[in-house]
């Protein structure tokens, strides 16, 4: 590695999770995502950093990106960026630190403080940049717990139309739906119950994680926050929560009927992503594959089949040990930050 930086830790400070990846001699050797409900206070970041301390122990360089500035404990994004930079400086007073400022590249903490618009929510740009280097031309799609990024990459570079959240929402490059945390009424306003379209109760009784759990496609390790009612994360518990959304109890319908309703919600989510991906992919060659990252890679594989494009999992093309590939993809921005920082340090 350049300048002897053999151990690099990448951090993605989100609003709901902290993701950390450890790179040694250019390969990802460990990665993790831990629950961090930042809206409850900055002490949640303190706890998450303590929990992941083994991943960055002895690092030569620590590199950071963030979306946590969106948490509503901060009056504005700029103030959120400033607060998180302060936390980084406090937790890592010594050693080399780099902040990812997206279109402005890696910068020091002081320079980052003067570029809040570039630093804020730039994690998507990091992962897309890594995908661009590895795939050349592709539609990069990262579905996490809360959001889905849909980014065209051409000739080894990010080719997005938008940069800020506001811009990317309008271009279809950011879709506010994810594999676990999304409210069910965020993907549909009604659901078919015994042949009748039933309006949903506009209440947070259940999440999309419940639908995916009922369908048997959810890795429980990916659902790190509490359920809507704070009760058990089981098929029975998820069915009870789903039933409330349509004004019923779990005993009212058969398990097969509840699976059909769960499949409806998963399909509605996929259609949202498909609509946006169809728009974004129009700028790419027909043979450009879809490269997927995040906990929702199963949905993205379905998307690729629907769009008639080849599918590649970022986990399969990053330099990493086989045992850590899946978690490294789940923690995509942290993985990307660590690998990209190694290339410039």
């Amino acid at each position: 590695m350049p300048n002897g930086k053999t151990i690099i830790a990448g951090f993605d400070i989100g609003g709901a999770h902290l993701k950390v990846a450890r790179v040694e001699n250019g390969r990802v050797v460990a990665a993790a995502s831990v629950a961090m409900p930042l809206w409850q206070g900055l002490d949640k970041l303190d706890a998450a950093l303590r929990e992941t301390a083994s991943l960055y122990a002895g690092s030569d360089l620590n590199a950071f990106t963030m979306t946590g500035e969106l948490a509503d404990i901060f009056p504005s994004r700029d103030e959120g960026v400033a607060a998180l930079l302060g936390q980084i400086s406090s937790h890592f007073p010594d050693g080399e630190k780099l902040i990812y400022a997206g279109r402005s590249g890696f910068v020091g903490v002081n320079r980052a403080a003067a570029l809040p618009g570039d630093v804020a929510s730039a994690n998507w740009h990091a992962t897309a940049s890594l995908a661009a280097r590895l795939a050349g031309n592709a539609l990069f799609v990262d579905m996490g717990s809360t959001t889905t990024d849909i980014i065209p990459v051409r000739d080894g570079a990010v080719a997005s139309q938008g940069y800020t959240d506001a811009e990317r929402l309008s271009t279809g490059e950011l879709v506010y739906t994810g594999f676990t945390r999304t409210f069910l009424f965020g993907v549909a306003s009604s659901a078919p119950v015994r042949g009748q379209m039933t309006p949903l109760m506009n209440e947070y009784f259940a999440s999309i994680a419940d639908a995916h759990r009922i369908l048997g496609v959810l890795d429980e390790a990916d659902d790190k926050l509490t359920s809507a009612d704070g009760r058990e994360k089981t098929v029975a518990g998820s069915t009870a929560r789903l039933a409330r959304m349509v004004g019923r109890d779990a005993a009212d319908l058969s398990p097969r009927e509840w699976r059909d309703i769960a499949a409806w919600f998963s399909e509605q989510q996929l259609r949202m992503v498909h609509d946006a991906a169809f728009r974004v992919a129009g700028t790419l060659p027909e043979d450009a594959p879809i490269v997927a990252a995040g906990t929702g890679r199963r949905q993205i594989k379905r998307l690729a089949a629907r769009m008639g494009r080849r599918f590649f999992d970022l986990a399969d093309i990053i330099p990493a040990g086989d045992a850590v590939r899946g978690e490294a993809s789940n923690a995509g921005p942290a993985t990307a930050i660590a690998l990209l920082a190694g290339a410039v340090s």
Side-chain angles (χ1 to χ4, degrees):
M1 299 284 289
N3 301 326
K5 300 296 190 299
T6 59
I7 302 176
I8 300 175
F11 300 77
D12 178 22
I13 303 174
H17 300 87
L18 174 68
K19 300 174 181 178
V20 185
R22 182 182 182 92
V23 169
E24 296 183 2
N25 299 314
R27 290 179 63 82
V28 185
V29 298
S33 304
V34 299
M36 186 189 67
L38 195 59
W39 61 88
Q40 295 177 3
L42 282 171
D43 61 307
K44 301 300 180 182
L45 174 57
D46 299 335
L49 285 169
R50 288 194 297 270
E51 184 176 348
T52 57
S54 63
L55 273 76
Y56 55 86
S59 60
D60 300 299
L61 169 66
N62 295 313
F64 302 83
T65 187
M66 65 181 69
T67 60
E69 78 285 344
L70 291 171
D72 48 19
I73 58 170
F74 304 123
S76 68
R77 286 176 172 80
D78 286 3
E79 290 173 88
V81 169
L84 293 179
L85 291 175
Q87 290 293 107
I88 290 169
S89 296
S90 175
H91 278 277
F92 301 91
D94 303 315
E96 188 172 356
K97 298 178 287 294
L98 290 176
I99 310 299
Y100 190 66
R103 55 194 172 189
S104 295
F106 284 99
V107 298
V109 173
N110 290 339
R111 178 60 177 155
L115 296 170
D118 288 351
V119 172
S121 297
N123 66 347
W124 67 271
H125 194 279
T127 325
S129 294
L130 178 64
R133 292 190 182 196
L134 296 173
N137 292 316
L139 182 67
F140 174 67
V141 187
D142 183 350
M143 177 181 280
S145 65
T146 312
T147 62
T148 301
D149 296 306
I150 306 172
I151 311 299
V153 298
R154 281 196 304 273
D155 301 323
V158 175
S160 60
Q161 294 184 60
Y163 183 82
T164 66
D165 283 349
E167 291 167 351
R168 295 194 305 121
L169 283 168
S170 66
T171 63
E173 293 164 345
L174 172 61
V175 182
Y176 239 85
T177 190
F179 199 64
T180 56
R181 293 187 64 235
T182 294
F183 303 158
L184 289 180
F185 52 76
V187 298
S189 59
S190 61
V193 181
R194 290 186 169 169
Q196 300 293 322
M197 292 305 297
T198 301
L200 302 185
M201 290 189 170
N202 196 19
E203 180 60 79
Y204 180 39
F205 286 134
S207 72
I208 198 76
D210 291 306
H212 290 142
R213 180 175 293 110
I214 293 168
L215 292 173
V217 299
L218 176 68
D219 183 340
E220 291 298 335
D222 294 336
D223 186 22
K224 300 181 183 298
L225 297 173
T226 57
S227 62
D229 59 5
R231 302 177 73 176
E232 66 274 9
K233 295 180 179 180
T234 61
V235 171
S238 287
T239 301
R241 288 187 285 272
L242 181 63
R244 294 189 188 102
M245 295 298 301
V246 290
R248 291 179 176 266
D249 292 324
D252 292 349
L253 303 179
S254 70
R256 170 62 185 274
E257 288 173 307
W258 288 123
R259 284 195 298 272
D260 286 346
I261 294 170
W264 164 266
F265 285 110
S266 187
E267 171 65 18
Q268 297 309 300
Q269 179 183 67
L270 181 56
R271 290 184 186 184
M272 291 174 61
V273 175
H274 185 196
D275 286 350
F278 190 84
R279 293 172 56 195
V280 177
T283 64
L284 291 171
E286 290 184 4
D287 61 350
I290 286 179
V291 175
T295 56
R297 298 195 300 281
R298 176 187 178 275
Q299 285 284 58
I300 308 312
K301 190 171 185 178
R302 295 174 65 201
L303 172 70
R306 192 162 294 191
M307 296 182 70
R309 291 182 181 268
R310 290 172 298 149
F311 173 86
F312 294 108
D313 191 326
L314 185 67
D316 294 331
I317 59 177
I318 57 175
D322 290 342
V324 74
R325 288 185 184 278
E327 195 59 48
S329 183
N330 288 349
T335 297
I337 285 292
L339 290 170
L340 293 173
V344 301
S345 64

